[in-house]
Each structure stands twice: as C-alpha cells, then as structure tokens.
C-alpha cells in the first residue's frame, strides 16, 4: 500500500480526549456498506491508520475519524474511527469532535445530523452554545456480576455491556480514580483486560472486551460518578468516554437505577463531564444520549515522504 504524500486533518479535543478528523488524503475505500469499507481499510490500508495516529505524527491517545460519503441520502456523513492499535465500532467523544469540526469548517449548522458508523447510524445535535448531543446506537448489558481473577491483583466482579464498543465495568475496587494515579490505573485495567482475554470472558458472539471501565464517587457532588476508561491500546480516555457512559447507563437501567429521562452526569478522570440520559428501546435495550463539548486545536497537513522510515508510524 502506497501512502499519500499529504493528509489534511483537523484536530480537536472533546472534554480532554483528542480526535483527528481526516478530511482528504485518506484511502479510497470504494463503495459498499461501512462494514465492507471498514474491512477494506483494515486489510489494505492499515499502514495509513498507524501513520496518521502513531508517533511521530500522532500519539496513542488520539482517535482518528476517517470522513466518508454516507450511504443514506439524508445522512450528513459516514465515519470510521480508528486508533493506535485498530478500529472502533463507535466513538462518542469522536462524534462530538467530528460534528464540532464540520461546524468549524462551515459544513454544518446547528441542528440534528445523521452520522453513519460501522455499528449503526447515530444522530448528533449541534446546539447553539457549541455543545453536541450524540444519540448513540442501542446499548445493553450482556452479563452482570461476572467474576475475574487477575494475576497479581486479585478478584474483581464486573458487568459486560455494549455501548457501541464492548466494556467490562467495575464499581468495586480499591483504587482512587484521579489523574495522578494514572500509571497504577493503567496497570490494573490492562491486567484485567488480559485476564478477561486469557480466561475466555467475552462480549456477545465471542467479541473481545477491549475497554475496561472503573467507577468511583464523583469529585464534584453535582455529578453522578467518576470513571477511568482503558481504551483498546495502552491509553486511557481523558474524556468520560461516550460509549463507556452509554454502557454504564445501560447497566444502571438494567438494575432499575436509571429511568428513561433521568440525567446521569459522568465525570472523567480529569473531572470533565458528559451529561447522559436514555430512552427505552426494544428487547431491554436503551438508546443513550450523551452531551459534551469539543474544541478545535489544529488544522494541519500531515506529510509522508517516500523515504521516511516511520511513515507508517513507530510501531512499539
Ligand atoms: O468516547 O466513545 C468514546 C471513546 C471510545 C474510545 C475513546 N473514546
């Protein structure tokens, strides 16, 4: 696969978590469903993913958003999210970043916009104050109170839930969720993910659980809870994680602790907040909404020289 010479990107952060929207210079994935286009991206252009996201042009914290032509005539955009190790189903903070980017470029106005993702179409409302509400894909708890023995750390019990990605959600643990504890939190959540994999604990249809979410009391009493979310690679989410907040609300709903229309204010490890709510959907699922804000940080051209040994990123 030859890399393009130049890729035009807009960077933003959503409540602390970065998104890099690829506007031009991305691979030609042809036509077909987004699932088919994602498969082509993964099989034929994975070096583009790592080149755009990994060092020296990016970092493991960044989530990429490849902007594509939608299939539906009334959709504003289609998008495939990706990171330093692979591809995401949906991304809540990324959708807020994408909508803010499109508004920054003058391509959309306040109001509701349909965005296609590989796991379903979501709706994003750009508000007059610049904040964005994302109505996510139907979310559900798959299994509750699942025990896992984690070598070096002991036992944990968590729920497995889908919020556009697969999560293992843990409320009971001895760790203080604060930014200065991030190395410890990264170590334990990474060990939990490895233990889930080693012990064959999966999402539905054998899907890998690649996000681990710890909860505690909020730092600010105005909020409902604080979280720490391990993303699929070795980075943690600086935002409260849109798909993670969706998974959390699906669990609360399943426990009768969150009714449709109630507000859930999810605080991140940095103290930033997504405000969430749910409506009921069929088969015990909920349709979660999360509201947050993104800020544009850069408009850049990424350059890829033919003889650059790290054009496809530094693959540690
Ligand atoms: O906001 O859904 C999210 C997300 C997933 C991974 C990083 N952020």
């Amino acid at each position: 696969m030859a890399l393009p010479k130049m890729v035009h990107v807009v960077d933003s952060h959503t409540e602390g978590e970065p998104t890099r929207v690829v506007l031009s210079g991305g691979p030609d994935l042809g036509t077909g469903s987004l699932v088919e286009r994602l498969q082509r991206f993964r099989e034929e252009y994975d070096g583009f993913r790592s080149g755009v996201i990994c060092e020296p042009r990016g970092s493991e914290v960044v989530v990429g958003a490849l902007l594509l032509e939608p299939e539906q005539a009334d959709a504003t955009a289609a998008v495939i999210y990706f990171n330093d190790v692979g591809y995401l189903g949906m991304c809540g903070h990324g959708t807020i970043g994408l909508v803010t980017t499109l508004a920054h470029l003058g391509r959309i106005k306040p109001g509701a916009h349909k965005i296609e993702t590989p796991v379903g179409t979501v709706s994003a409302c750009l508000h007059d104050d610049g904040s964005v509400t994302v109505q996510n894909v139907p979310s559900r708890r798959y299994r509750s109170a699942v025990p896992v023995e984690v070598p070096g750390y002991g036992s944990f019990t968590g729920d497995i839930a889908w919020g556009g990605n697969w999560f293992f959600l843990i409320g009971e643990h001895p760790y203080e969720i604060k930014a200065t504890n991030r190395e410890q939190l990264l170590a334990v959540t990474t060990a939990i993910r490895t233990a889930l994999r080693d012990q064959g604990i999966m999402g539905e249809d054998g899907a890998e659980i690649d996000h681990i979410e710890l909860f505690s009391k909020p730092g600010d009493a105005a909020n409902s809870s604080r979280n720490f979310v391990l993303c699929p690679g070795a980075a943690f989410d600086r935002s409260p994680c849109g798909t993670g907040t969706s998974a959390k609300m699906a669990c609360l709903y399943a426990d009768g602790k969150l009714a449709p229309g109630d507000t859930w204010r999810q605080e991140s490890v940095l103290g930033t907040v997504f405000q969430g709510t749910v409506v009921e959907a069929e088969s015990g699922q909920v349709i979660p909404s999360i509201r947050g804000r993104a800020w544009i940080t850069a408009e850049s051209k990424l350059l890829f020289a033919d003889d650059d040994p790290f054009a496809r990123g530094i693959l540690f």
Side-chain angles (χ1 to χ4, degrees):
M1 176 212 88
L3 286 169
K5 297 242 174 301
M6 192 176 81
V7 175
H8 182 193
V9 300
V10 174
D11 289 347
S12 60
H13 79 82
T14 304
E15 310 293 355
E17 177 77 351
T19 305
R20 170 165 284 177
V21 177
V22 176
L23 295 174
S24 65
D28 178 3
L29 300 180
T31 53
S33 72
L34 258 195
V35 173
E36 288 165 338
R37 286 184 275 172
L38 167 58
Q39 193 178 337
R40 224 166 279 142
F41 193 177
R42 195 194 305 268
E43 286 172 1
E44 295 173 30
Y45 300 100
D46 200 52
F48 176 85
R49 171 194 61 75
S50 52
V52 166
I53 292 298
C54 298
E55 296 174 28
R57 290 168 185 77
S59 90
E60 61 188 14
V61 182
V62 178
V63 170
L66 180 63
L67 195 56
L68 296 165
E69 278 304 310
E71 278 192 286
Q72 304 159 71
D74 62 344
T76 299
V79 62
I80 296 175
Y81 293 111
F82 52 101
N83 68 5
D84 61 322
V85 292
Y87 302 85
L88 296 166
M90 223 308 270
C91 183
H93 95 266
T95 305
I96 295 171
L98 170 64
V99 167
T100 304
T101 296
L102 295 176
H104 167 76
L105 295 169
R107 296 190 187 181
I108 62 167
K109 296 259 176 282
H113 300 276
K114 273 170 110 174
I115 315 270
E116 296 171 359
T117 80
V119 294
T121 300
V122 302
S123 161
C125 179
L126 172 63
H127 301 283
D128 288 330
D129 66 359
S131 66
V132 177
T133 298
V134 178
Q135 190 176 68
N136 196 4
V137 293
S139 300
R140 64 190 181 281
R141 180 163 70 189
Y142 171 54
R143 290 178 64 193
S144 68
V146 178
V148 59
E149 190 58 35
V150 183
Y153 291 94
S155 5
F156 295 86
T157 301
D159 288 356
I160 301 173
W162 170 257
N165 296 298
W166 282 104
F167 288 83
F168 193 72
L169 303 98
I170 302 170
E172 293 286 312
H173 56 81
Y175 305 101
E176 196 180 346
I177 300 184
K178 56 180 186 180
T180 48
N181 278 355
R182 61 191 182 282
E183 295 302 334
Q184 181 193 39
L185 294 165
L186 270 175
V188 63
T189 49
T190 302
I192 292 168
R193 183 172 60 199
T194 303
L196 292 173
R197 199 176 294 158
D198 290 350
Q199 291 164 40
I201 300 171
M202 315 259 190
E204 218 161 26
D205 297 329
E208 183 191 351
I209 301 169
D210 53 7
H211 292 72
I212 309 295
E213 192 165 3
L214 303 181
F215 295 91
S216 71
K217 288 203 171 66
D220 178 342
N223 300 328
S224 314
S225 149
R226 171 172 279 231
N227 69 8
F228 176 89
V229 182
L230 175 69
C231 296
F236 65 91
D237 199 329
R238 274 67 173 160
S239 84
C241 191
T243 51
T245 301
S246 299
K248 174 66 177 175
M249 292 193 295
C251 294
L252 290 164
Y253 170 81
D255 284 334
K257 292 181 178 165
L258 187 76
D262 285 354
T263 296
W264 180 260
R265 287 178 58 83
Q266 185 63 60
E267 189 178 277
S268 72
V269 64
L270 299 186
T272 54
V273 175
F274 282 158
Q275 182 162 307
T277 190
V278 297
V279 295
E280 270 162 333
E282 56 195 24
S283 322
Q285 300 187 102
V286 290
I287 298 181
S289 292
I290 52 132
R291 182 171 182 166
R293 178 97 203 261
W295 288 265
I296 303 297
T297 54
E299 280 190 45
S300 338
K301 288 173 181 148
L302 307 180
L303 304 179
F304 297 84
D306 288 339
D307 61 350
D308 181 346
F310 296 122
R312 287 168 177 74
I314 299 173
L315 305 174
F316 289 107

